Amino acid sequence: RKEVEQDPGPFNVPEGATVAFNCTYSNSASQSFFWYRQDCRKEPKLLMSVYSSGNEDGRFTAQLNRASQYISLLIRDSKLSDSATYLCVGRDNYGQNFVFGPGTRLSVLP
Amino acid sequence: NAGVTQTPKFQVLKTGQSMTLQCAQDMNHEYMSWYRQDPGMGLRLIHYSVGAGITDQGEVPNGYNVSRSTTEDFPLRLLSAAPSQTSVYFCASSGTGGYGYTFGSGTRLTVV
């Protein structure tokens, strides 16, 4: 079993839609979590960190449930520019090991 | 503040040639890594370093060497290039603790 698993997608949604991505992790040593976005043929870029209390950044909301080892990302009012692959990432307690999920591809359609 | 700088951006090699991909960061990050990403695939960890003088293998280390003589630089050396090493290579760095990675813009390598 992979340490970080994500919905494979692709998710094809119309502009303005709300879309949710799910991620599960199997390594309980993972302590820090992040969502990255990766545009085609570009490097991954940090979208947001994920905190236990949940956090929001504009149209983006991230949630972490440590008991269920589950992370989510909610995008409201989708824009065409949100089209990308979204990567779920965990980092262990010692800060020495990042584990990337395989990514979920999102296409926002006009 | 340049962040993570990778050179070259593009490279074509012949089978059997060797070369070094350069990676430098100016954020005084302790943790640096090299990943490869094949078309339509996820990131795979090649080697990583938790500080100057310390390196370790990742998921796919065969055919690659690294060194970390300074905090800033983490070069990746291809010993004898093979077509299977055709990929996009990303270098990334992070501070210790709960920080995320900063990635370089990548090196697109083709081995013919």
Side-chain angles (χ1 to χ4, degrees):
Chain A
R1 183 184 173 198
K2 293 181 181 177
E3 286 194 40
V4 177
E5 297 193 44
Q6 297 183 241
D7 293 333
F11 284 44
N12 298 316
V13 302
E15 267 187 294
T18 296
V19 60
F21 300 137
N22 302 317
C23 170
T24 57
Y25 63 96
S26 59
N27 185 358
S28 59
S30 295
Q31 291 295 315
S32 303
F33 300 93
F34 311 90
W35 283 102
Y36 278 74
R37 70 168 281 166
Q38 186 175 23
D39 295 288
C40 187
R41 298 178 63 80
K42 298 284 190 180
E43 73 273 24
K45 292 185 176 178
L46 180 64
L47 179 64
M48 59 196 303
S49 301
V50 186
Y51 304 119
S52 297
S53 55
N55 49 299
E56 188 174 306
D57 183 1
R59 298 180 293 109
F60 300 86
T61 300
Q63 296 279 353
L64 167 62
N65 184 323
R66 291 190 186 275
S68 302
Q69 297 187 189
Y70 170 87
I71 303 153
S72 66
L73 176 68
L74 185 75
I75 305 175
R76 293 181 299 279
D77 189 20
S78 299
K79 310 293 184 189
L80 296 176
S81 58
D82 293 334
S83 296
T85 295
Y86 289 83
L87 305 170
C88 176
V89 184
R91 187 175 190 181
D92 70 20
N93 206 20
Y94 304 101
Q96 294 186 6
N97 187 27
F98 282 84
V99 180
F100 283 80
T104 301
R105 189 156 60 90
L106 171 67
S107 293
V108 180
L109 308 173
Chain B
N1 193 341
V4 179
T5 302
Q6 287 186 239
T7 56
K9 292 191 181 303
F10 301 94
Q11 183 69 50
V12 179
L13 289 179
K14 294 182 179 179
T15 297
Q17 287 184 315
S18 63
M19 79 160 293
T20 300
L21 307 186
Q22 301 292 344
C23 176
Q25 52 91 9
D26 61 359
M27 298 172 284
N28 201 31
H29 284 168
E30 290 297 318
Y31 195 72
M32 297 185 75
S33 297
W34 277 101
Y35 289 87
R36 62 177 287 175
Q37 187 173 38
D38 299 327
M41 304 292 286
L43 296 162
R44 290 190 292 170
L45 181 64
I46 305 171
H47 285 284
Y48 66 96
S49 168
V50 298
I54 305 169
T55 64
D56 207 344
Q57 296 181 350
E59 180 186 355
V60 288
N62 292 340
Y64 308 94
N65 275 353
V66 291
S67 60
R68 186 91 181 271
S69 57
T70 67
T71 298
E72 294 77 20
D73 299 298
F74 191 43
L76 177 72
R77 183 166 179 81
L78 278 70
L79 306 174
S80 177
S84 61
Q85 293 179 304
T86 293
S87 190
V88 180
Y89 292 83
F90 291 108
C91 178
S93 74
S94 175
T96 56
Y99 298 101
Y101 264 142
T102 298
F103 281 84
S105 58
T107 295
R108 283 157 182 77
L109 176 69
T110 301
V111 182
V112 297

